[in-house]
Structures are given as structure tokens and as C-alpha cells.
Amino acid sequence: MAAVVLCVGHAVQDFVFGVHELPVAAQKHRATSFTSVGGGPAATAAVAIARLGGRARLAARLGADPVADVVTAELAGHGVDCTFVRRFAGCTSSLSAVMVDAAGERMIVNYLDPSLPRAADWLPPPRATGCGAVLADTRWPEGALAALAAARTAGLPGVLDADRPIPTDRAVLAAASHVAFSHEALAEFTGEPDPRRALEIAARGLDAWCCVTVGAQGVHVLADGRHQHLPGHRVAVVDTLGAGDVWHGAFALALAEGRAELDAVRFASAAAALKVQRAGGRAGAPTRAEVDAFIASLPE
Amino acid sequence: MAAVVLCVGHAVQDFVFGVHELPVAAQKHRATSFTSVGGGPAATAAVAIARLGGRARLAARLGADPVADVVTAELAGHGVDCTFVRRFAGCTSSLSAVMVDAAGERMIVNYLDPSLPRAADWLPPPRATGCGAVLADTRWPEGALAALAAARTAGLPGVLDADRPIPTDRAVLAAASHVAFSHEALAEFTGEPDPRRALEIAARGLDAWCCVTVGAQGVHVLADGRHQHLPGHRVAVVDTLGAGDVWHGAFALALAEGRAELDAVRFASAAAALKVQRAGGRAGAPTRAEVDAFIASLPE
């Protein structure tokens, strides 16, 4: 029986326009290509989990609009359970215009409807979903807080994908049993560019296993007052889009399967290393067999 | 019985993101508002015609995708007949990301799927649609050519909304019985900034009534070798979005009703003058009663 992860947070549709050059002010520009693709940290992590053979349930807020149909159809196509994706009348689903130039540089304009209800009282109890771990992003702090607190109460791992914006409500971080910072978010949050020192600052007062992912430089872990560093993988980077989401999905899935944290980090870093070698966010997420083969190929 | 206009050309969905400032290269920007609204010269002219009490039939190419549902639902809601809006499997409906800053400046990124079939052999004969005039934009030159040529054969007015890009195939202009240039397109097309002189250059070899609209400066007409100038209206401009489309829709509708060209120009310019005093493109299109009252209020 595959392990289940409840993913709580953001689902968005990205309208991606290929352009020769990124647009400049107040002109009309012609795109050379177009694709519509789903995004959002929690939603893309859910897709990564499904690709890795896990079972992903997504809890997210959408509007009652055609974009919501597109978002859920794509997720369902990836095998993500959308039972707890809720549509709110009168609201707009989150969406982004993404302009990508020939060099792969991205200009993103995102809209998150401020009228989407913040209340998270409709989230299912983690145990009721059969999940072995909860993963939350920071785009819906009330949802993250409720789901991570419920996971803690239930004795399940609760992973916070601590990317920008880090919630101003410190209770969100405090609720997580595992906090995985991105390097940029951690540096901004603490004002400290050094990842080890920043991790110490951020971890103060938290009852959590903490780490910060620093791309190819690997992962710094701070747990029970002890630092550890797990090196990254040297691979030919094609596209980093979605790499963080794949990492978080794989990490939460490994915890849901009962694996120890350092083993989960190795699994997640291998999954992300495979992802960055491929174009596309969700399209580049690896399978379990690919991750296992990659790990088996590494020197001892 | 209301007059019918067959509108041939472009229907697009605009995803409009309100931003504090227009985005700059390769960053992530947060939008403060979002609206999804239909556009395209032919489609918005069709809406203007319906608002003026005429009957508009739109012939346009869309993809077989969710955007097509949104486009046609909005048009149908405005009373536009979409029988000849055709969806092509494997194609993407035209769509734009529009970023509007606090000062109303617009950055537009548009995608028109090059795989949309260019052939126009499926367009209905004008008489079969009961139409009294044809209006075509330049975004689908093959469609414009076929529809305008068929109108000429049928002895019906065929109006070309000659905005950028002016078709490189001169046969499109030659097929029209009425060519209404925008000032910018005419200047670019002829290399001549003076509207009267540019009109003379552009009209060479055309068997057509020609005009160029110069915003508040009014309309220059060149017909049977004679120039005329109809002054514009001094109004408080709120939003010029869609003003040209309203002008063309009203002009074609007046011709379909059997009115003479100069009368049609007066009607169209009044409709456009009302439109620019209101926010929104389609939302700002006036009713017949409003146009009649505006004309009645003008000094003799």
C-alpha cells in the first residue's frame, strides 16, 4: 500500500508565453509560443509524489471559474486526489502570466485573489485522509497552520516548505515538525546569508527538525542542536523550474513511508537532481525507479 | 427587423493583471487585481453592434480548449451569434496577458497560434447570413479576403478595419468596398504621417471608399477622388480601449442599415466618443439611444 501525503497550499495555473525578448513597458508584444500549465508549490509537490508512486491528496483553494476546471483536470490526470480542492463562489483561481525569453529568463505576474477565504476549518483531520505525513507551503498560512498543528497532534510528520514569503505569523513555523527552508527565503527571513548561521537563527524557539536547501551545494541540516551537511549532486542543469517542489514532495513522501530524515533528504535531493536535468516543472518530475537507479549509481 | 453585420476576424481572451508598476525583466511580480475579458477587433465590433441594437454574426477561429468556452460564452452573453465561430482541434485560442499599471499604461503579450488553419472556405456566403454588410479585421487576412470578396460579389458593403498589421497581400485591401484606416497603421503602411497625403497614397489602385480615423481630430475621407474632413468630438477621455472597434462596428451597422457613408461616419464617431468617456472596452460600448441622444445634443 503506497504511503499517502496530504499537501496543503497553493494551486495555480501558469499561462506561459514564449517571447524572443522579455517585454518592456507599455508596448504590444507578440509571443512565439504558448502553454498553459499547472503550478503552485503544494500542487506540484503533489504531482511529484504521485510520480514517485506515492498517493497525494491536495487541499487548496480555487475560485468557481473555468481556470479551476483546468487546474483540477491536470492534477487528476497526474493521479492527484482533488477531493479537498475547494472552489469558492465569487473568487478567482490563482493564475500567473509567465513570459519566458530565449535564454530561459522568466518574468512572472501572479494574482492571488485576496477574497479567497482564509479559514481552514474545512480541512480534513490528517488521520481521516490516511496520510503518513503532511506537507504545507506558505501561500495559505492559515491552511498550513491548521494542517501542521493537526499533524503534530496526530503524531505525524508535518513538513513546512518554507519558501518566500515566510509567514509573519511565527506559529506557522512553530507548528511544523520539519521545516525545509529555501536559501533565498532563509537569508531574507534572518538577514544572514550564511546558511548554517541563518539556520541557527531561524531554528531558535522551534521544536522542529530544520534544513536549508542550497541547490547544487546540498542541504544543511540542524536537528537536536547538531549541524550536518549533505552534499549536492553535480549534474547538467537544464531547467530548475519545480525542483524545489519535487524536493519537498519526495522528502514528505519518504517521511510518510517511515524513513529517517537523512535518508529522506538523500531521496529528495536525488529526485531534484533528476528533475533539473529535464525541461518542465511537473513534466520533469522523476519516477521512483529513476530515483532508485540514480541513488544506486552514486559512489559510496 | 434589425440589420445584420457579419464580422470576420479575431476573437481573443485578455487576462488583465492590475499592477502597481509595469513589470521589469526576470522578476516575480504580484498583481493587485485580475479580470478576464474578451477582445479582438472583429469580436468587440460584434459586441458593439449588438449593443447598438443590430444583429452581429461573428466568424472567427478558436482552438478546442477551455479558453474557447470562455470566449464564446461572453460573446453569447452580449447577444453575438457564434454559429460561425469555429474550433480547431490541436490549436490554442488566441489569448493575451495584459498588465495595466496605476496610470493606465498597458503592456500586452499576445499569442496567435500559427497552426490555426488559414483557409476560409468554410465561411458562409454573406447573403446566406442575411447580412447587410461585412466587417473584417486584418488578423486573419485569408478570412478577410474571402468575406470581403464575397460581399463585393453580392453587392454588399465590405468594410476593412485596416489596423496594424496591414496585410502584405494587397488583394485584401482591394477586395473591400470601404477601407477604414487607423492613423498609426496608415502612417506605417505609407511612410507618410500626414493623414490626407497618406490616404491618397494608400487609395491608389483601390476601388474603395477610404477613410482614416485620427482620434479626436476626426475622420478624413477620400471617395471618388474627393477629400472630406469630419471633425471629431471634444470629450473627456477616460479609456480609449475598444474605441476603434466600436467605431468600426457602428460604421458597418449604419451601412448595413442602408445609410450613406458620411452619415455612417457621424454615427460611428458619436458611438466612439461615448465609448472613450467610459472605462472598459466592451463594457463601455454605447446603446443606440445613447448615440442618438449624443448626436441630437450636438450643435448644428
Side-chain angles (χ1 to χ4, degrees):
Chain A
M1 195 68 178
V4 180
V5 179
L6 175 65
C7 302
V8 179
H10 202 47
V12 59
Q13 196 68 15
D14 290 338
F15 297 105
V16 184
F17 296 83
V19 289
H20 286 303
E21 293 177 10
L22 290 182
V24 290
Q27 291 184 13
K28 195 159 185 171
H29 307 264
R30 186 57 58 94
T32 53
S33 67
F34 175 79
T35 48
S36 169
V37 64
T44 297
V47 170
I49 289 163
R51 189 72 65 88
L52 289 167
R55 288 167 64 201
R57 301 198 200 286
L58 179 66
R61 302 167 300 158
L62 296 175
D65 53 18
V67 169
D69 297 334
V70 175
V71 168
T72 51
E74 181 178 324
L75 289 168
H78 284 293
V80 173
D81 180 320
C82 292
T83 305
F84 302 106
V85 174
R86 195 149 166 184
R87 300 178 183 210
F88 294 92
C91 294
T92 299
S93 298
S94 292
L95 74 181
S96 299
V98 181
M99 279 61 74
V100 188
D101 72 11
E105 292 291 313
R106 290 168 176 267
M107 172 190 284
I108 302 173
V109 181
N110 170 255
Y111 179 66
L112 173 58
D113 188 343
S115 73
L116 279 168
R118 293 163 168 271
D121 51 5
W122 53 272
L123 286 182
R127 291 280 185 204
T129 67
C131 75
V134 166
L135 170 65
D137 68 33
T138 59
R139 308 295 177 87
W140 178 26
E142 295 81 2
L145 177 57
L148 294 170
R152 192 178 274 273
T153 302
L156 293 170
V159 180
L160 179 65
D161 169 3
D163 204 346
R164 285 185 287 194
I166 300 286
T168 49
D169 179 0
R170 189 148 172 98
V172 179
L173 278 84
S177 64
H178 297 73
V179 182
F181 291 96
S182 77
H183 188 200
E184 297 76 16
L186 182 63
E188 189 177 285
F189 181 58
T190 61
E192 168 58 62
D194 178 75
R196 274 177 58 112
R197 282 200 295 269
L199 209 48
E200 284 191 11
I201 296 168
R204 278 177 204 149
L206 298 182
D207 174 21
W209 180 99
C210 294
C211 78
V212 53
T213 56
V214 197
Q217 293 174 48
V219 179
H220 293 272
V221 173
L222 180 59
D224 301 321
R226 274 184 48 218
H227 283 285
Q228 277 185 279
H229 175 246
L230 289 88
H233 303 291
R234 293 199 172 192
V235 295
V237 175
V238 172
D239 184 357
T240 60
L241 183 68
D245 305 330
V246 167
W247 195 97
H248 292 102
F251 180 71
L253 176 60
L255 293 186
E257 292 172 350
R259 295 158 80 169
E261 283 88 355
L262 294 188
D263 190 25
V265 168
R266 284 185 201 100
F267 182 69
S269 296
L274 286 164
K275 157 46 226 143
V276 299
Q277 296 177 66
R278 300 169 184 173
R282 294 176 179 183
T287 64
R288 170 82 56 145
E290 290 168 337
V291 176
D292 288 345
F294 181 84
I295 291 173
S297 77
L298 295 173
E300 286 300 310
Chain B
M1 193 69 176
V4 179
V5 178
L6 176 64
C7 302
V8 179
H10 201 48
V12 60
Q13 195 68 14
D14 290 336
F15 297 105
V16 184
F17 296 82
V19 289
H20 287 302
E21 293 177 10
L22 291 181
V24 290
Q27 290 185 12
K28 195 159 188 173
H29 306 265
R30 187 55 59 93
T32 53
S33 67
F34 175 81
T35 48
S36 169
V37 64
T44 297
V47 170
I49 288 163
R51 189 73 64 88
L52 289 167
R55 288 167 61 201
R57 301 198 200 286
L58 179 66
R61 302 168 300 158
L62 295 176
D65 54 19
V67 169
D69 298 333
V70 175
V71 168
T72 51
E74 181 178 323
L75 289 168
H78 284 292
V80 173
D81 180 320
C82 292
T83 306
F84 302 108
V85 174
R86 196 148 165 183
R87 300 178 184 209
F88 293 93
C91 294
T92 299
S93 298
S94 292
L95 73 181
S96 299
V98 182
M99 279 61 73
V100 188
D101 72 12
E105 293 290 312
R106 288 169 177 266
M107 171 190 284
I108 302 173
V109 181
N110 170 255
Y111 179 67
L112 173 58
D113 188 345
S115 73
L116 279 168
R118 292 163 168 271
D121 51 5
W122 53 271
L123 286 183
R127 290 282 185 203
T129 67
C131 75
V134 166
L135 170 65
D137 68 34
T138 60
R139 309 294 177 88
W140 178 26
E142 295 81 2
L145 177 56
L148 294 171
R152 191 177 275 273
T153 302
L156 294 170
V159 180
L160 179 66
D161 168 2
D163 204 346
R164 285 184 288 192
I166 301 286
T168 50
D169 180 0
R170 189 148 172 98
V172 179
L173 277 85
S177 64
H178 297 74
V179 182
F181 291 96
S182 77
H183 188 202
E184 298 76 17
L186 183 63
E188 189 177 284
F189 181 58
T190 62
E192 168 57 61
D194 178 75
R196 275 177 57 114
R197 282 200 296 269
L199 209 48
E200 284 192 8
I201 296 168
R204 278 177 205 151
L206 299 183
D207 175 21
W209 180 98
C210 294
C211 78
V212 53
T213 55
V214 196
Q217 294 174 48
V219 179
H220 293 273
V221 173
L222 179 58
D224 300 322
R226 274 184 48 219
H227 282 283
Q228 276 185 279
H229 176 246
L230 289 89
H233 302 291
R234 293 199 171 191
V235 294
V237 175
V238 172
D239 184 358
T240 61
L241 183 68
D245 305 330
V246 166
W247 195 97
H248 292 103
F251 180 71
L253 176 60
L255 294 185
E257 292 171 351
R259 295 159 79 169
E261 282 88 354
L262 294 188
D263 191 24
V265 169
R266 284 185 201 99
F267 182 68
S269 296
L274 286 164
K275 158 45 227 144
V276 299
Q277 296 176 66
R278 300 168 186 174
R282 296 175 178 182
T287 65
R288 169 81 55 146
E290 290 168 336
V291 176
D292 288 346
F294 181 83
I295 291 174
S297 76
L298 296 172
E300 287 298 312

